[in-house]
């Protein structure tokens, strides 16, 4: 951020405002009204929650992904005396992401639905706070090329990638080897089912899978954390963000979730970023970078934590992590196929149409069925995403 930008109020669009990341973002923004102003808030179908957020933050624009409640929300805000413009649909999401009077875009729409507006923000040269890992998973090469071409500032918000970003040197022009980095260590809590056997895993309910022991997250991400697919998607994201190969990244199960990730250097040093498991910390980092601001997060008390445990990830019990690594190694559209199949499978599990351990089976079946092609055009990526979803749905109805 240049000195002129730092001295004026920054305008922020929050894509996915009613989700857990969106709510945490708005909490941080509300703590710093002298630094930030909300330009636009978006939601998928949570119209009542979006209304309440608008009543508090007074955005210029509010966008619903679905048009069913557009008229209702417009009337609600008008009756409250707000001049907020209410819109709906994908085109509106893209427009608020690339709007000329927006400085910062928090990309927190869950899943493939976040790809187009996030990419639009990048192409508009915004500071993009990336909490939507699927955008990079689906279109990593295209996405990172757009970041470079349009001088966008890309700051990772996932706690693990944000930790790695903080542990790396500020000069990243020469790749990991040029920085003396030998390994990136992605930490994982292990989810709520760490240590469970196959018989126990086969009986898991959606309620159990959504009860994460350390983090407050949405239902889909909670299930991904429970299957370790979330860590697999993070591995793919880390490869693109830090120009790393899959073999340079190790997943370390760390149940306390206070070390958010680590970087190992050639001189034997390992640098870690620690903090309480609260997403407001990486969000505040992204909003104020390269400065630091208060986030409302309690300081980590190491004496209270008392111990730090580590163990390898169990890929036999949780094969989604292996499937993600294999997809990244395969390249092309394989990560997009993986992500699409997983979204369909997780939705079926949450609807009680699929067992917990069958999520990985659906993903593996799609990867075995669909041919991997070059992911060098956005329309190809989107077409293959749709194809993988159709194959996954057919698998569910066998």
């Amino acid at each position: 951020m240049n000195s002129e930008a730092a001295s004026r109020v920054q305008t922020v669009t929050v894509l996915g405002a009613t989700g857990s990341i969106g709510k945490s973002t708005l909490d941080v923004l509300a703590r710093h009204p002298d630094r930030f102003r909300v330009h636009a808030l978006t939601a998928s179908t949570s119209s009542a929650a979006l209304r309440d957020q608008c009543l508090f933050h007074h955005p210029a624009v509010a966008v619903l992904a679905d048009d069913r409640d557009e008229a209702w929300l417009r009337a609600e805000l008008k009756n409250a005396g707000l001049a907020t413009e209410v819109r709906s649909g994908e085109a509106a999401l893209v427009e608020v992401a690339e709007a000329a009077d927006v400085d910062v875009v928090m990309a927190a729409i869950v899943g493939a639905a976040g790809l187009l507006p996030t990419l639009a923000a990048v192409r508009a040269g915004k500071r993009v706070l990336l909490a939507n890992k699927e955008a990079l998973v689906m279109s990593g090469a295209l996405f990172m090329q757009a970041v470079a071409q349009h001088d966008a500032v890309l700051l990772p918000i996932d706690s693990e990638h944000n930790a790695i970003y903080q542990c790396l040197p500020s000069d990243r022009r020469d790749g990991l080897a040029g920085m003396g980095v030998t390994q990136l260590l992605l930490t994982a809590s292990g989810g709520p089912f760490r240590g469970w056997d196959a018989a126990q895993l086969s009986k898991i309910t959606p309620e159990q899978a959504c009860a994460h022991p350390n983090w407050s997250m949405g239902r889909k991400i909670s299930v991904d954390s429970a299957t370790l697919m979330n860590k697999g998607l993070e591995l793919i994201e880390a490869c693109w963000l830090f120009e790393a190969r899959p073999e340079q990244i190790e997943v370390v199960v760390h149940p306390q979730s206070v070390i958010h990730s680590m970087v190992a250097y050639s001189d034997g040093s390992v640098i870690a970023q620690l903090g309480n498991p609260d997403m407001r910390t990486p969000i505040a980092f992204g909003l104020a970078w390269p400065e630091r601001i208060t986030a409302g997060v309690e300081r980590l008390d190491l004496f209270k934590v008392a111990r730090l445990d580590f163990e390898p990830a169990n890929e036999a019990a949780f094969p989604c992590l292996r499937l993600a690594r294999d997809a990244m190694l395969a390249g092309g559209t394989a990560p997009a196929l993986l992500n699409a199949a997983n979204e369909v499978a997780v939705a079926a599990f949450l609807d009680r149409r699929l067992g917990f351990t069958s999520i990985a089976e659906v993903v593996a079946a799609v990867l075995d069925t669909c041919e991997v092609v070059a992911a060098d055009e956005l329309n190809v990526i989107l077409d293959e995403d749709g194809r993988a979803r159709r194959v996954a749905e057919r698998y569910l109805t066998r």
Side-chain angles (χ1 to χ4, degrees):
M1 186 190 305
N2 60 39
S3 57
E4 179 183 355
S7 65
R8 65 179 175 83
V9 174
Q10 300 284 290
T11 54
V12 182
T13 284
V14 183
L15 303 174
T18 59
S20 61
I21 297 294
K23 292 175 182 176
S24 292
T25 301
L26 291 174
D27 181 88
V28 176
L29 293 174
R31 295 172 187 275
H32 301 277
D34 56 323
R35 296 183 63 117
F36 305 106
R37 176 174 59 83
V38 175
H39 172 76
L41 299 176
T42 84
S44 178
T45 57
S46 301
S47 52
L50 185 60
R51 174 202 58 194
D52 294 343
Q53 290 178 339
C54 290
L55 292 176
F56 187 87
H57 295 280
H58 298 183
V61 188
V63 179
L64 287 164
D66 193 296
D67 65 1
R68 286 176 296 180
D69 290 332
E70 180 182 348
W72 174 85
L73 180 60
R74 183 178 294 110
E76 287 283 301
L77 298 184
K78 182 179 179 181
N79 291 340
L82 294 187
T84 300
E85 178 185 3
V86 177
R87 303 183 60 193
S88 65
E90 188 173 76
L93 289 172
V94 168
E95 288 179 19
V96 296
E98 65 186 8
D101 50 354
V102 170
D103 300 301
V104 181
V105 175
M106 167 56 77
I109 295 175
V110 175
L115 172 58
L116 291 182
T118 305
L119 191 55
V122 166
R123 288 173 171 168
K126 306 299 183 185
R127 173 187 292 205
V128 178
L129 311 187
L130 187 66
N132 169 262
K133 63 179 65 65
E134 292 85 356
L136 266 182
V137 169
M138 293 174 67
S139 65
L142 280 174
F143 194 95
M144 296 307 294
Q145 184 180 40
V147 170
Q149 287 180 341
H150 298 280
D151 293 325
V153 176
L154 183 65
L155 296 172
I157 298 302
D158 274 347
S159 62
E160 295 82 0
H161 304 94
N162 187 269
I164 290 171
Y165 189 94
Q166 294 190 52
C167 292
L168 288 173
S170 58
D171 186 354
R172 302 185 174 95
R173 292 175 297 179
D174 299 323
L176 295 182
M179 294 183 282
V181 173
T182 58
Q183 195 174 45
L184 304 179
L185 301 163
L186 279 177
T187 58
S189 70
F193 311 124
R194 180 174 58 90
W196 286 33
D197 60 30
Q200 292 173 303
L201 292 172
S202 66
K203 300 175 183 178
I204 288 169
T205 67
E207 290 75 18
Q208 290 173 303
C210 291
H212 195 281
N214 297 335
W215 293 94
S216 175
M217 305 182 293
R219 283 164 60 79
K220 193 268 182 184
I221 298 177
S222 294
V223 175
D224 283 348
S225 178
T227 64
L228 291 193
M229 178 61 86
N230 195 50
K231 205 54 51 179
L233 298 177
E234 288 174 2
L235 185 150
I236 296 172
E237 184 182 6
C239 287
W240 291 115
L241 283 170
F242 307 115
E243 299 181 67
R245 301 185 306 276
E247 61 269 24
Q248 292 178 294
I249 301 173
E250 182 175 357
V251 173
V252 179
V253 174
H254 167 52
Q256 290 86 5
S257 294
V258 297
I259 294 180
H260 299 302
S261 276
M262 297 170 274
V263 175
Y265 287 87
S266 57
D267 63 0
S269 299
V270 176
I271 297 179
Q273 188 266 338
L274 287 74
N276 281 315
D278 191 317
M279 286 305 298
R280 290 178 296 176
T281 295
I283 289 168
F285 177 88
L287 285 170
W289 179 87
E291 301 178 51
R292 300 274 183 169
I293 58 174
T294 57
V297 178
E298 183 180 354
R299 183 180 65 83
L300 178 65
D301 185 342
L302 289 173
F303 298 110
K304 184 176 180 181
V305 174
R307 58 181 287 172
L308 302 173
D309 296 311
F310 308 96
E311 62 188 65
N314 185 349
E315 294 188 17
F318 301 95
C320 285
L321 177 57
R322 173 183 51 80
L323 290 170
R325 183 184 289 106
D326 290 347
M328 186 62 193
L329 287 169
T333 54
L337 299 174
L338 171 103
N339 178 72
N342 181 65
E343 289 191 13
V344 171
V346 170
F349 168 70
L350 290 171
D351 289 342
R352 304 180 194 280
R353 295 186 292 128
L354 187 71
F356 180 81
T357 54
S358 295
I359 293 173
E361 294 174 8
V362 172
V363 175
V366 170
L367 290 173
D368 288 342
T369 302
C370 296
E371 180 185 0
V372 175
V373 300
D376 50 8
E377 295 182 21
L378 185 58
N379 64 318
V380 171
I381 295 168
L382 295 175
D383 286 346
E384 292 303 301
D385 172 88
R387 183 160 70 102
R389 291 173 191 275
R390 292 190 294 273
V391 172
E393 288 291 356
R394 286 199 299 270
Y395 185 90
L396 291 173
T397 57
R398 290 187 319 167

